[in-house]
Amino acid sequence: GAGVSQSPSNKVTEKGKDVELRCDPISGHTALYWYRQSLGQGLEFLIYFQGNSAPDKSGLPSDRFSAERTGGSVSTLTIQRTQQEDSAVYLCASARGQGGTEAFFGQGTRLTVV
Amino acid sequence: TQLLEQSPQFLSIQEGENLTVYCNSSSVFSSLQWYRQEPGEGPVLLVTVVTGGEVKKLKRLTFQFGDARKDSSLHITAAQPGDTGLYLCAGRPTGGTSYGKLTFGQGTILTVHP
């Protein structure tokens, strides 16, 4: 597709289970971002990938969170041993480069931990 | 860590009124962007400003980047119900290993009543 695609769109999981969230960025975009958003709030930075450089993981809230980007394209955000406070919308974005370029967002994955 | 402080957090006004949203930081940014987000969707770019003192207009929206590139404002003239949404500012650092990393403010929820 032409835009950023995220799957699943909704995920309900039990506390303690692991979840994987997927992001397909726009083809050719070298930058990829993951953010977390609580209802009506701003975007909390999680991780940033740029080309083949080491990712900026400074926003990951704990070691239960990890992300990878295979082949410079698809990215997976993994949350292990989910907690109720992990419930939020997880947004992925991609951008063509590093400068003042537009970030294109997916529609997000709404994660609910019960 | 570069932080962006947005104010006000909530804004409820009548159709036809003017409003200004502020985005402030103690850090210098190479560029600053404003996004608008509607419920269930990802943020969509409104404008990018890159030069200190720059002013950009988009119909009834006026965006300004501070001379020192540490702050920005969004002014809406004669607001309409269709302007309702979450407005987010986002900045990129001036350099370093995370050049390109996009940090968001907390957002301003704008409601325009008919």
Side-chain angles (χ1 to χ4, degrees):
Chain A
V4 177
S5 177
Q6 289 188 246
S7 60
S9 55
N10 282 284
K11 176 73 177 177
V12 179
T13 189
E14 292 181 351
K15 177 181 174 181
K17 299 284 189 183
D18 298 352
V19 295
E20 285 190 351
L21 312 180
R22 178 187 169 102
C23 173
D24 283 272
I26 294 172
S27 178
H29 280 193
T30 60
L32 188 147
Y33 308 83
W34 281 99
Y35 295 91
R36 180 167 69 175
Q37 186 176 35
S38 299
L39 187 63
Q41 298 296 307
L43 276 62
E44 176 189 3
F45 169 79
L46 296 177
I47 189 168
Y48 162 56
F49 296 90
Q50 176 57 53
N52 296 320
S53 301
D56 181 335
K57 304 180 181 180
S58 60
L60 295 178
S62 76
D63 58 8
R64 296 187 295 105
F65 288 73
S66 63
E68 62 177 21
R69 188 179 185 191
T70 54
S73 180
V74 171
S75 178
T76 302
L77 176 68
T78 301
I79 308 174
Q80 296 179 311
R81 306 181 302 281
T82 51
Q83 304 294 314
Q84 288 186 328
E85 60 262 30
D86 299 335
S87 296
V89 175
Y90 289 81
L91 288 162
C92 173
S94 70
R96 190 179 304 116
Q98 296 185 95
T101 56
E102 178 176 2
F104 293 84
F105 282 83
Q107 291 192 315
T109 294
R110 180 175 297 279
L111 175 66
T112 304
V113 182
V114 296
Chain B
T1 302
Q2 298 188 295
L3 298 177
L4 281 165
E5 299 287 336
Q6 261 187 263
S7 62
Q9 188 176 355
F10 301 96
L11 202 49
S12 180
I13 62 173
Q14 294 297 125
E15 182 175 2
E17 293 183 3
N18 301 332
L19 67 110
T20 303
V21 177
Y22 299 93
C23 179
N24 296 296
S25 177
S26 58
S27 302
V28 177
F29 293 95
S30 63
S31 65
L32 199 138
Q33 298 178 321
W34 285 91
Y35 289 79
R36 179 166 173 259
Q37 185 181 20
E38 298 195 39
E41 303 290 329
V44 175
L45 181 69
L46 295 173
V47 77
T48 301
V49 285
V50 296
T51 305
E54 182 176 4
V55 176
K56 282 192 173 179
K57 293 191 175 183
L58 184 66
K59 297 183 180 178
R60 292 176 294 101
L61 277 61
T62 302
F63 305 86
Q64 185 162 6
F65 202 11
D67 291 341
R69 292 186 290 134
K70 293 182 179 181
D71 54 84
S72 180
S73 64
L74 157 61
H75 182 78
I76 301 179
T77 303
Q80 299 177 0
D83 295 328
T84 294
L86 175 64
Y87 289 81
L88 297 153
C89 65
R92 285 189 169 88
T94 53
T97 56
S98 282
Y99 177 66
K101 173 182 172 181
L102 195 58
T103 301
F104 282 81
Q106 313 99 305
T108 295
I109 298 176
L110 172 64
T111 304
V112 183
H113 302 280

